[in-house]
Amino acid sequence: MSTVADDARAVPEVPPLRRNRDFLLLWSGSAVAIIGSTASTVAYPLLVLAVTGSASAAGLVGFVVLLPALLLQLPAGVLVDRWNRKRVMIWCDALRAVGASTVVLALLAGELRLAHVLVVGFAEGTLTVLNGLASTAAVPNVVHPSQLSVALAGNEARGRAATMIGTPLGGILFGLGRAVPFVLETFAYLVSLVSLLCIRKDFQAARPGEAARPGEAARAEAAAGDGVAADGRRTRVLRQAGRMVEGLVWLWKRPLLRTTALLVAGSNLLFRALFLVMIVLLAEEGAGPAAIGLLIGVAGACGMLGSLVAGWCGRRLRMNALVISANWVWALLMCVLAFGGGLWPAMIAYTAMWFVGPIWNVAVGSYQLAVTPDELRGRVLSASSLLANGALPLGALAGGLLLDGLGVRAATAVLAGWMVLMALAATLAGPVRRATMLVVGDPPASSTAPSPPRTRHDPGPDVPLPEPSAPVAAADSR
């Protein structure tokens, strides 16, 4: 009896997340950064519409801001796995603060140009890709494995709560002055930077053999002049190219992860276009910046509610039921939004769409992180983000073109038809129908097991960019 009791006492108890200092610092710093970036996400299209009066120009800005999600996911994943993830996040916050501050200075000087917004938007988008991959890949190294799903659910709740605060705040601050939302964004990134500096834990596991690489590079450089350096550079380029596609190959061999990533790509395209459509619809109805921000804030609150029930749903729903039902719920709500016959039905449907995304994100995100080896996490996250979120810039561009070419109502009808097609695709997809595992209950015991998998949806701007679909990194669909 005493031996059993002693053995039980010998097992260290895992402290709750609320006592995990490093996780709380990472969580709270990111929350402040999301509030600032969400406020500027609302302010950017309002600013461009106010300066240019063109929905196409606003769509172009959204396209450029999101373009790094399409172009840079794979190389960013390699860097996140190769570099120190904490330093990556620190530099990203510092440089994003500098970019936001240049917008503030240009507005105060009365010299802001569309080209300036495009350059800053592309730079911030690039840094956001790096920061997001590093942050997500770091979570399993900051929390105990048994707390991973809880931590991701907390991150979802954080994102939705920050969106609920940041979106109306962006509209209100823009009404006070065009530069004010970007002052808040600058300050938010600096707060996040300080919180990262206070974290003690490493954001990646020790990598055997990594220390030898600098020596290899030094030897290659020392051999310059006799042709060895050129060969060394070619070898390193080929090696990095192989590392870059390794995560994509790993993910592509898992049919469910591949299928859900493609489904998210289609729905994220829609939700990014819908974000601009809703702004123009409200503006045509006479709503001011504060009212537009308030609507997205209410939608963010609905997303936060979704994150609170995500764990409960994950323990009770099988993967096929979750994926198929989520797409049909979005399709139904899009039909209400397009054909409901009024502003209020459209607003109610839009906010309700944000409820489903967090459930998808937590379920599929937990599974993907659980089965992905740590040394591959950055590259697998970048691959799923490339597939799922690479459609975001195209959605922003398509939204502007649809609005200018067809008008608000016709553009909404086109988007509703697209979502119905996505729901049919989810229903007919074999890998989805065969995914009968419980979302949270059945993950494999080993992170190296080649089990079938996950992707991510993005409904709403819980990270720097807003749309209502579901997952991560590949996020939102989100």
Side-chain angles (χ1 to χ4, degrees), residues 225-245:
D226 59 3
V228 176
D231 292 339
R233 282 193 295 271
R234 282 194 295 270
T235 300
R236 290 196 300 275
V237 168
L238 291 174
R239 184 170 62 240
Q240 292 306 316
R243 286 169 58 84
M244 189 165 61
V245 301

Side-chain angles (χ1 to χ4, degrees), residues 47 100 103-105 107-108 173-174 176-184:
L47 177 63
V103 175
V104 174
L105 295 175
L107 283 169
L108 294 178
L173 294 179
F174 188 83
L176 296 177
R178 293 179 178 178
V180 181
F182 304 101
V183 173
L184 173 66

Side-chain angles (χ1 to χ4, degrees), residues 156 251 254-268 319 322-323 330 357-369 371 380-381 383-389 432 452-458 469-478:
E156 285 292 334
L251 180 141
R254 284 146 181 85
L256 182 58
L257 282 178
R258 180 182 68 235
T259 302
T260 51
L262 295 174
L263 288 171
V264 173
S267 56
N268 275 355
M319 186 72 79
L322 188 148
V323 172
W330 281 319
I359 299 173
W360 177 303
N361 288 350
V362 171
V364 183
S366 297
Y367 190 89
Q368 176 171 315
L369 285 176
V371 301
V380 172
L381 287 170
S384 57
S385 292
L386 174 65
L387 294 174
N389 294 344
V432 173
R454 164 257 190 210
T455 302
R456 157 175 182 149
H457 255 101
D458 244 308
S469 122
V472 205
D476 311 194
S477 191
R478 199 187 324 196

Side-chain angles (χ1 to χ4, degrees), residues 14 91 116 174 204 211 310 312:
V14 179
W91 276 105
H116 184 172
F174 188 83
Q204 65 277 318
W312 184 90

